[in-house]
Amino acid sequence: MPVGEGQSRLRRFIALQDRSWLVLGPRRHPPVPARAANTNVSIAIQTAVGFSTLETDDYVEAVQELSPDIVLGLADYEYSKTPGVKRLEKMGDRTLEWTQAMLKGLEENTDRVPRVAFFAPILPIEAGQQSFYLETLTSELADRIAGWTIYDSASVDAVPAKMQHLPRLALTNVRGPHDVLDQVSLGIDAFVLAFIGSATDRGLAFTFNFPPSKSSEDGRRLELGINLWTTTYATDLSRLLDDCACYTCTNHHRAFVRHLLDAKEMLAWVLLQIHNYHIMDAFFAGIRCSIRQGTFEHDRENFHQRFQEELPPSTGQGPRLRGYQIKSGPSESRRNPQSFRSLNDAEAKVAQTIAPNTTAEGTDLEGLGFAELLV
């Protein structure tokens, strides 16, 4: 890793293990479309306190203060809009200008902070539409670029031939393990996978492996996971997955996790996340082993044939959500129904009256909005 042990304030703050990469990007993933447009000096982002803009100098300052291992360059790409002809011409020029400014700002302070690995963006447009940007990177900035940020798997072919050896980090729409395998086949090296957390929130436990080691007895394609909201698991004392060595499977069973989900205990999703990340670690270990053995394409096809395309649907609710997880736009509905609500106009009635005493009649309480008379 470029950053030495104990040198990153952000790593210490979030207690991230030294063996894990610390990647800093300008936007969350998956992104929330910003209402404002990018400008010549900034990109539009959403923050914990609303929509804002991020300029190159502020981004460079954040990198210097937080010292990540990898920093993702600014890209003039708006997720919610399809760029027009004039906009396409501007995207490459702006991205090049921001890249040059970032690299200059980072190199001016290498004596104060460790040098970080800079991943330059490949825009999700045709290679010819960003040719000047890519040619400049190759001819003038190649020695300062440590990798690529890919926003669309179809744009992998746009990576310059002279810089094909650099790692590629995907910020693409990955719906499940099938997409991971397909994008690895295209040349993606690393991923940011939002579907792991979303599957955990839905109460799903992964049950797939790579290369696939078994098939169903009746020849049908196997499920990618199990939905622990299903009532049949309420008395199931088996592991989430047979032979799984994760903490959850070693110490608990399906019925316990199902009970925690039903009680809306946060521990349910903690245990599920531990299991699902363990499965994904083994999944990627299998991919690396398959590549080394030269059997990846065969194993990938075998996986497609053995497992269903989509993760199973959820029949329950996820954990309580707040902040940017709830809504990302004015017309988007909430994911979960509201847990607490006002008692109609009871507050207004209380403000206009005196609180009832211990001798109040049921009709009096009903009139004040404190109760409903049933008989």
Side-chain angles (χ1 to χ4, degrees):
M1 291 184 182
V3 178
E5 182 177 351
Q7 293 180 299
S8 171
R9 294 171 58 187
L10 179 57
R11 182 184 294 275
R12 295 196 301 270
F13 179 75
I14 64 176
L16 184 66
Q17 296 179 348
D18 290 326
R19 63 183 180 87
S20 300
W21 289 355
L22 180 57
V23 182
L24 181 64
R27 293 185 176 98
R28 57 163 289 203
H29 181 76
V32 175
R35 300 175 185 178
N38 298 339
T39 69
N40 289 332
V41 297
S42 65
I43 64 171
I45 61 173
Q46 188 196 31
T47 70
V49 293
F51 293 99
S52 183
T53 58
L54 178 64
E55 297 186 7
T56 305
D57 292 343
D58 295 332
Y59 192 32
V60 169
E61 182 179 355
V63 174
Q64 293 170 343
E65 290 294 330
L66 301 176
S67 300
D69 300 307
I70 298 171
V71 58
L72 310 183
L74 296 174
D76 186 24
Y77 173 44
E78 296 179 1
Y79 294 85
S80 59
K81 302 176 182 178
T82 301
V85 176
K86 293 184 178 180
R87 185 73 177 83
L88 287 172
E89 297 176 355
K90 189 179 295 184
M91 289 172 66
D93 295 338
R94 278 181 175 175
T95 303
L96 175 59
E97 182 177 348
W98 295 341
T99 299
Q100 292 173 326
M102 279 201 67
L103 291 173
K104 180 180 178 182
L106 292 173
E107 291 184 350
E108 287 177 350
N109 295 277
T110 53
D111 57 333
R112 186 167 66 91
V113 294
R115 183 167 182 171
V116 301
F118 181 86
F119 277 38
I122 296 290
L123 297 171
I125 57 179
E126 296 180 5
Q129 296 170 331
Q130 53 183 323
S131 58
F132 179 74
Y133 161 64
L134 296 176
E135 289 171 1
T136 305
L137 293 184
T138 305
S139 60
E140 300 179 12
L141 306 173
D143 60 333
R144 307 183 213 176
I145 296 174
W148 302 104
T149 307
I150 307 294
Y151 293 92
D152 187 340
S153 58
S155 61
V156 171
D157 294 336
V159 175
K162 295 182 180 180
M163 305 176 72
Q164 290 278 346
H165 63 285
L166 296 180
R168 304 158 191 179
L169 172 64
L171 298 181
T172 54
N173 180 25
V174 179
R175 299 168 300 172
H178 290 280
D179 289 347
V180 172
L181 295 175
D182 291 341
Q183 293 189 25
V184 168
S185 180
L186 292 175
I188 298 297
D189 300 298
F191 296 85
V192 178
L193 299 177
F195 79 84
I196 304 175
S198 63
T200 297
D201 287 348
R202 289 154 52 197
L204 304 181
F206 294 157
T207 56
F208 56 85
N209 62 335
F210 185 87
S213 57
K214 63 179 180 178
S215 60
S216 60
E217 295 179 357
D218 56 5
R220 292 186 300 178
R221 299 171 77 185
L222 301 172
E223 293 275 6
L224 292 170
I226 57 174
N227 174 19
L228 285 170
W229 283 103
T230 306
T231 56
T232 55
Y233 296 126
T235 57
D236 190 341
L237 302 183
S238 60
R239 300 184 178 203
L240 301 183
L241 178 63
D242 292 339
D243 301 326
C244 179
C246 76
Y247 172 84
T248 303
C249 290
T250 302
N251 295 278
H252 304 291
H253 46 66
R254 296 178 179 182
F256 178 67
V257 179
R258 170 68 174 75
H259 161 71
L260 294 176
L261 285 173
D262 196 47
K264 295 182 174 59
E265 288 285 352
M266 198 64 208
L267 180 59
W269 292 281
V270 172
L271 294 176
L272 278 174
Q273 190 80 321
I274 291 173
H275 169 80
N276 287 340
Y277 267 104
H278 179 84
I279 295 298
M280 290 305 301
D281 284 344
F283 180 74
F284 278 104
I287 290 176
R288 292 189 292 270
C289 180
S290 179
I291 292 174
R292 287 193 298 267
Q293 294 176 353
T295 60
F296 175 74
E297 290 300 330
H298 171 76
D299 294 335
R300 178 172 73 99
E301 183 61 31
N302 196 13
F303 187 90
H304 288 329
Q305 294 176 359
R306 295 281 183 91
F307 289 98
Q308 296 186 10
E309 288 291 333
E310 303 291 338
L311 288 164
S314 175
T315 55
Q317 295 181 4
R320 289 186 61 191
L321 304 175
R322 64 183 64 199
Y324 64 79
Q325 292 179 302
I326 297 178
K327 298 183 70 177
S328 60
S331 60
E332 183 179 343
S333 60
R334 294 180 180 270
R335 297 185 189 179
N336 288 345
Q338 190 172 354
S339 299
F340 305 97
R341 62 185 185 278
S342 61
L343 300 174
N344 299 325
D345 59 343
E347 293 182 2
K349 291 182 178 180
V350 170
Q352 299 173 3
T353 60
I354 300 176
N357 54 40
T358 56
T359 62
E361 299 291 338
T363 54
D364 298 331
L365 295 175
E366 184 179 31
L368 292 174
F370 283 103
E372 181 181 354
L373 193 62
L374 299 179
V375 293

